[in-house]
Amino acid sequence: MPSTRFFSPRRPFGNWFWLAVVVSLLISLTPWAQFLLYPFRLFTTWVHECGHALMTVLVGGRVTSITIQPDTSGLTRSLVPVGRVARGLVASSGYLGAAVVGCLLMAATRVEKWSHVILLSIGAFMFLTLVFWMRNLFGFAVVLAWGVALITLARRGIANARRFLLSLLAVQVALNSVYDIRILFLIDRGRSDAATMAQLFLLPSWVWATSWMLMSVAMLGATLWMTRGRAMGGARSTRR
């Protein structure tokens, strides 16, 4: 009879995602949740700021700096072409960009052979942001540490460790991409991406924050259904 151990190398790669979900839930219930999940919050901040930076480049602008602070806040300074549409795209790409990355990571956890390539690619891109964009010491240290860890694990790590880390990154980025939007309802109106959208398009900042949250939840829910719910439904329908 085949082994059913959770860590069996024959266990489907997608199940590492559910292990990551369980681990994330259990950690969130402990008194040490903030400390244990802190590196992943910083990673999500880097993803958020890179969303702004990449959109800036796509609309023809230039990124001057990215900073990440110990309180997990971040700031991207850039020169954006004149125009409401370009500025609106850049302002929206932080939270929505993090949600898109969360979706892509969730989808990637379904394909075992991708774990090595994805971790290596993320680590390499982190090094590129160190050279071209990162401009404060704390942010530099955070991105450097994550880049070294991801590349080392991709090149020399145990396969199951790579799979679990990729799944944990997917879960944490997905959750934080939605959870972090709540800040927009609490901070000063003139100091947020939603406030920038309000200045550009006149609708109140809470409207933009709400729309980003709904869009993020919809994207993540659709990705979860397409990569797991539909497959589980198909498996049940073929059972005899």
Side-chain angles (χ1 to χ4, degrees), residues 168-203:
L168 195 58
L169 281 176
V171 172
Q172 288 299 315
V173 172
L175 290 176
N176 288 330
S177 68
V178 175
Y179 184 72
D180 288 349
I181 297 177
R182 84 195 195 287
I183 299 296
L184 298 177
F185 297 97
L186 304 174
I187 62 178
D188 294 340
R189 294 183 179 180
R191 300 178 57 192
S192 70
D193 296 336
T196 299
M197 293 295 287
Q199 293 170 3
L200 291 171
F201 300 104
L202 303 180
L203 292 175

Side-chain angles (χ1 to χ4, degrees), residues 125-144:
F125 184 67
M126 295 188 95
F127 284 142
L128 287 177
T129 63
L130 284 179
V131 176
F132 293 104
W133 294 336
M134 198 61 55
R135 292 296 179 266
N136 73 316
L137 182 59
F138 180 80
F140 190 93
V142 168
V143 176
L144 178 63

